[in-house]
Amino acid sequence: MNSEFIIAVHSLVLLAHKPDGMASSEEIAANVCTHPARVRKVLGFLRKNGYVTTREGSGGGYRLCIDPSDMTLADIYRTMAAGAIKPNWCSGNPDMDCMVGSNMQEVMNDVFCGAEKQLESYFQGITIGQMLSRIKACQKT
Amino acid sequence: MNSEFIIAVHSLVLLAHKPDGMASSEEIAANVCTHPARVRKVLGFLRKNGYVTTREGSGGGYRLCIDPSDMTLADIYRTMAAGAIKPNWCSGNPDMDCMVGSNMQEVMNDVFCGAEKQLESYFQGITIGQMLSRIKACQKT
DNA sequence: TCCAACTGTAACTGTTAATATTACAGTAAC
DNA sequence: GTTACTGTAATATTAACAGTTACAGTTGGA
């Protein structure tokens, strides 16, 4: 799994938690524990997909523009990490003479496509709002 | 996802397909498209978990010792790639002052554990025997 | 109008993980 | 005892990933 998915989710939860729903890349990076440039890259994707708005210049930053309970991890997965569970390495070779070796890539591909759908349906059931609730629950205990 | 999972599945399907259910690391490696030493490593794991038997020395090799229709991808996943969908990178830090940053690791971990279970239940529904059937179906078309 | 605080991007570096390769000891069949 | 294997460790080699630097473009306010 792509770690940009994690950065995206963490950033959105943080924005949902902030009273004014806004933060700079520097503030988010400190919370996520990474470099501001990386946060800007990830949140740039989220902006292009309509999850946040950005304001450049002094006093600028990122702001959530969707209700946290309407945003699922599946949306973010599709945006940031689609196809991430399938390994980039693959076995066999379609030009091969053997039935197994020549068709394995196609069959394996189908298997991972199914796995991806399964994963997406799981992520579909978790919203950013729920993530925030879970974090609050952690805090109490 | 770990590519050793793919090598394991491919090797087992190949063994299931062979009339005598047997092959050497060299033969398997040529079919999978990797190095024999890698195949030996992966099939060593499978031997330790009781899926294949090996015979050293001349005329030796690997032999399937479980019915292909009793062996699911979930078994292989647990053996070769457990925990593979969770990224090794993680955001936040438990020692942090912020509620979001300090609890994100734990919540994210729970999310990925759930995802893993979901994936395993999907793999549970696919056997090595079915993989071979799918490959035969590919061949016909 | 200039300065300070931001985002947007691209280029580059360093580090880690994945894969390939080599090597050789151990084992079994002929 | 020679040949054909597995088992395993060590060592390249390569690709992926995260971190960093740099700078142009934008905005708000002194």
Side-chain angles (χ1 to χ4, degrees):
Chain A
M1 173 78 59
N2 198 328
S3 66
E4 294 191 347
F5 172 77
I6 291 183
I7 295 175
V9 172
H10 189 140
S11 301
L12 290 170
V13 172
L14 183 64
L15 289 176
H17 171 246
K18 298 214 73 173
D20 57 354
M22 210 172 171
S24 70
S25 65
E26 194 170 354
E27 186 180 353
I28 297 171
N31 202 274
V32 168
C33 296
T34 186
H35 205 274
R38 226 182 149 202
V39 170
R40 291 201 286 271
K41 190 184 165 200
V42 170
L43 270 68
F45 272 103
L46 296 180
R47 172 176 53 81
K48 283 169 193 160
N49 283 273
Y51 301 126
V52 298
T53 54
T54 64
R55 209 171 65 221
E56 298 186 11
S58 178
Y62 300 87
R63 161 171 282 142
L64 209 57
C65 66
I66 292 191
D67 187 324
S69 60
D70 288 340
M71 208 182 312
T72 72
L73 297 197
D75 299 325
I76 301 166
Y77 178 81
R78 279 189 285 266
T79 302
M80 305 302 306
I85 54 166
K86 185 177 153 201
N88 20 23
W89 193 92
C90 68
S91 73
N93 180 344
D95 301 331
M96 194 170 281
D97 213 14
C98 167
M99 182 183 76
V100 174
S102 63
N103 293 303
M104 186 56 81
Q105 283 189 14
E106 187 179 341
V107 171
M108 200 63 89
N109 199 54
D110 289 347
V111 167
F112 280 111
C113 281
E116 181 110 349
K117 284 204 189 102
Q118 195 76 2
L119 193 64
E120 276 186 37
S121 78
Y122 168 73
F123 281 151
Q124 189 73 41
I126 305 174
T127 67
I128 293 295
Q130 282 172 24
M131 291 292 286
L132 190 54
S133 304
R134 289 192 194 193
I135 280 171
K136 284 176 183 161
C138 273
Q139 189 68 8
K140 281 177 193 158
T141 57
Chain B
M1 174 78 57
N2 198 329
S3 65
E4 294 191 348
F5 172 77
I6 290 183
I7 294 174
V9 172
H10 190 142
S11 303
L12 292 170
V13 171
L14 182 64
L15 289 176
H17 171 246
K18 297 214 73 175
D20 57 353
M22 212 171 171
S24 70
S25 66
E26 194 170 354
E27 186 181 352
I28 297 171
N31 202 274
V32 168
C33 298
T34 187
H35 205 274
R38 220 178 156 206
V39 170
R40 291 202 287 272
K41 189 185 166 201
V42 169
L43 269 67
F45 271 104
L46 295 180
R47 172 176 54 81
K48 283 169 193 159
N49 284 274
Y51 301 126
V52 298
T53 54
T54 65
R55 209 171 67 221
E56 298 185 10
S58 178
Y62 301 88
R63 162 170 282 142
L64 209 56
C65 67
I66 292 190
D67 187 325
S69 59
D70 287 341
M71 207 183 312
T72 71
L73 298 197
D75 298 325
I76 302 166
Y77 179 81
R78 278 188 285 265
T79 302
M80 305 302 306
I85 53 166
K86 185 178 152 200
N88 20 23
W89 193 92
C90 70
S91 73
N93 181 345
D95 301 332
M96 194 171 280
D97 213 15
C98 168
M99 180 184 77
V100 174
S102 63
N103 294 303
M104 185 57 79
Q105 284 190 12
E106 186 179 340
V107 170
M108 200 64 88
N109 199 54
D110 290 347
V111 167
F112 281 110
C113 282
E116 180 110 349
K117 283 203 188 102
Q118 195 75 4
L119 193 64
E120 276 187 36
S121 78
Y122 168 74
F123 282 150
Q124 189 72 41
I126 304 175
T127 67
I128 294 294
Q130 282 172 24
M131 290 291 286
L132 190 53
S133 305
R134 288 192 194 193
I135 280 172
K136 284 176 183 160
C138 273
Q139 188 68 9
K140 281 177 193 159
T141 57

